[in-house]
Amino acid sequence: MKTVNYETLKSVIGHFNDNYPRPNLNLTLESLSPIITNGMWQNADRAGLYFFFNKDQVLQYIGKASFGSNIGVRIGARFSCKDCRCIDQRFSSVTSLATIVLPNDRIFEASSIEEFLIKELQPPLNIIGVGDVSEPVDSPALN
């Protein structure tokens, strides 16, 4: 299993932007913020991708919020902002998150970007469904 930190994630996203350009879309990773907060999570009201990290800032999970959802709803399925606790114990090691906001006219890109990043980075808490992820896309950022 790969150990992927925040800086490696940024580098892979840069690789994605350079090698798979999308019209009117340049992915920008927001800085890390605490998962347990008395306020709203970053970009909670927007669609996009979210990334969970443990206390060592190692990537644990990649998720998406697309049509009919937002980042806050998706994170809220695992963490309670109201009483600052983890709801889904599978995510109890998560301490921080980062997000990528997608413009409204590019929300449909969320699934393909999420799948690319999961295949490339293989975070330990992502459950791989159908498809073979044993051969990650060749990324200079991971070499």
Side-chain angles (χ1 to χ4, degrees):
M1 183 181 333
K2 301 174 187 175
T3 299
V4 177
N5 64 22
Y6 177 80
E7 292 303 319
T8 304
L9 175 60
K10 276 179 64 173
S11 181
V12 171
I13 290 168
H15 168 78
F16 181 88
N17 283 332
D18 292 344
N19 291 289
Y20 307 102
R22 307 290 211 256
N24 305 316
L25 181 63
N26 187 45
L27 302 179
T28 303
L29 183 65
E30 301 285 338
S31 58
L32 286 171
S33 67
I35 194 77
I36 301 299
T37 177
N38 289 323
M40 286 184 58
W41 294 293
Q42 62 177 245
N43 300 308
D45 60 340
R46 305 289 305 274
L49 297 137
Y50 58 95
F51 307 88
F52 290 158
F53 294 84
N54 68 13
K55 66 179 175 51
D56 298 319
Q57 296 185 351
V58 173
L59 181 65
Q60 300 296 297
Y61 183 81
I62 298 170
K64 70 168 173 16
S66 54
F67 299 104
S69 189
N70 60 47
I71 291 170
V73 167
R74 301 297 300 144
I75 295 171
R78 293 165 175 85
F79 296 90
S80 170
C81 189
K82 186 170 129 182
D83 56 3
C84 298
R85 66 181 176 86
C86 180
I87 296 169
D88 182 340
Q89 291 308 305
R90 200 168 56 109
F91 295 91
S92 62
S93 66
V94 172
T95 60
S96 57
L97 78 138
T99 59
I100 294 175
V101 171
L102 295 176
N104 289 337
D105 65 339
R106 306 305 289 185
I107 291 172
F108 68 91
E109 299 272 11
S111 292
S112 61
I113 297 167
E114 177 196 36
E115 287 183 28
F116 170 87
L117 292 172
I118 289 171
K119 185 172 182 177
E120 182 75 12
L121 302 172
Q122 300 177 19
L125 296 179
N126 281 98
I127 298 170
I128 306 303
V130 178
D132 179 17
V133 295
S134 61
E135 306 245 351
V137 177
D138 184 30
S139 171
L142 294 175
N143 297 331

